[in-house]
Amino acid sequence: MPAASPTLRLLSWNLGRVHLGGRVNRWLGLDSRASDRSLGHVARVILRADAEVVAVQELSSEAQLERLRALLGRDWQAAAPARPDCDRRVGLLARRGLAPEFFPVASATGRTAQAATLRIGRERRFAVASLHLDAFDDAARARQAQELLSFAAASGEAAPVLAGDFNFDLTHPAAHRPRDRSTWRALAA
């Protein structure tokens, strides 16, 4: 009987709140990024889900990710891109037992993804990236997707995982632009 394939329990969560556009949010005094008040709830959901890797998006800071990691406990490690290149930061959390090796995946468009290689058992490795594609520019989304696909190809893994906020919904006519269909096909392949 062949050995069971290794599994990885992954959770991806956009922690942000409603964004009505920069001017409207500023006028109303709203910050659509993750709230520190919700971190306790987020940690409880992650632990209840028994996730091994968590990709989070729309953090307000690297310090916020560290607070979430601390709420999860000593069994967790976390990383976010060190240089904030936009106001929608991403992070990646992984259980220590997976021996995560974290590294950023930079984008020429100003959206750095956070990636890691993970070890399951003695031989199997996974490459995982937490991403947040541009919400308003389909050309930028397409370029960011191509850069992430280059990362995935270079990772050498049979099935790298790209998790996060793609910022389009092909089933809703108002939630995507013409370029998004080809971007999705490239990512899904």
Side-chain angles (χ1 to χ4, degrees):
M1 179 182 247
S5 295
T7 61
L8 182 68
R9 287 184 308 278
L10 180 125
L11 174 68
S12 181
W13 195 341
N14 184 323
L15 302 174
R17 298 168 288 167
V18 68
H19 183 69
L20 305 170
R23 288 186 189 143
V24 175
N25 273 37
R26 281 190 299 278
W27 181 69
L28 294 173
L30 300 174
D31 187 351
S32 63
R33 296 170 300 176
S35 164
D36 284 344
R37 293 186 313 270
S38 66
L39 294 179
H41 169 72
V42 171
R44 286 188 298 277
V45 170
I46 291 169
L47 292 170
R48 204 172 320 134
D50 198 26
E52 296 171 296
V53 177
V54 181
V56 290
Q57 304 84 44
E58 298 204 12
L59 296 164
S60 63
S61 66
E62 191 174 355
Q64 190 175 52
L65 178 66
E66 180 51 32
R67 287 191 290 280
L68 178 57
R69 193 224 42 85
L71 288 168
L72 292 171
R74 292 178 175 246
D75 187 39
W76 288 85
Q77 289 182 281
R83 193 183 106 249
D85 52 6
C86 73
D87 70 341
R88 297 290 180 257
R89 307 223 20 211
V90 297
L92 197 59
L93 298 125
R95 292 195 181 261
R96 284 187 189 280
L98 296 173
E101 295 177 22
F102 294 106
F103 55 95
V105 179
S107 170
T109 65
R111 291 279 177 153
T112 300
Q114 181 61 52
T117 56
L118 310 165
R119 186 172 299 283
I120 297 181
R122 294 181 132 191
E123 297 178 23
R124 183 64 173 129
R125 293 181 64 87
F126 280 88
V128 178
S130 176
L131 58 106
H132 188 275
L133 301 184
D134 192 283
F136 304 106
D137 183 341
D138 62 325
R141 271 194 301 276
R143 185 165 182 185
Q144 291 155 4
Q146 285 304 319
E147 291 165 339
L148 287 161
L149 289 170
S150 294
F151 148 76
S155 77
E157 302 305 323
V161 179
L162 302 177
D165 188 345
F166 294 96
N167 270 315
F168 58 82
D169 177 354
L170 297 179
T171 64
H172 191 283
H176 70 277
R177 304 264 188 272
R179 231 180 240 122
D180 290 333
R181 210 167 280 293
S182 61
T183 299
W184 173 249
R185 279 193 296 272
L187 288 168

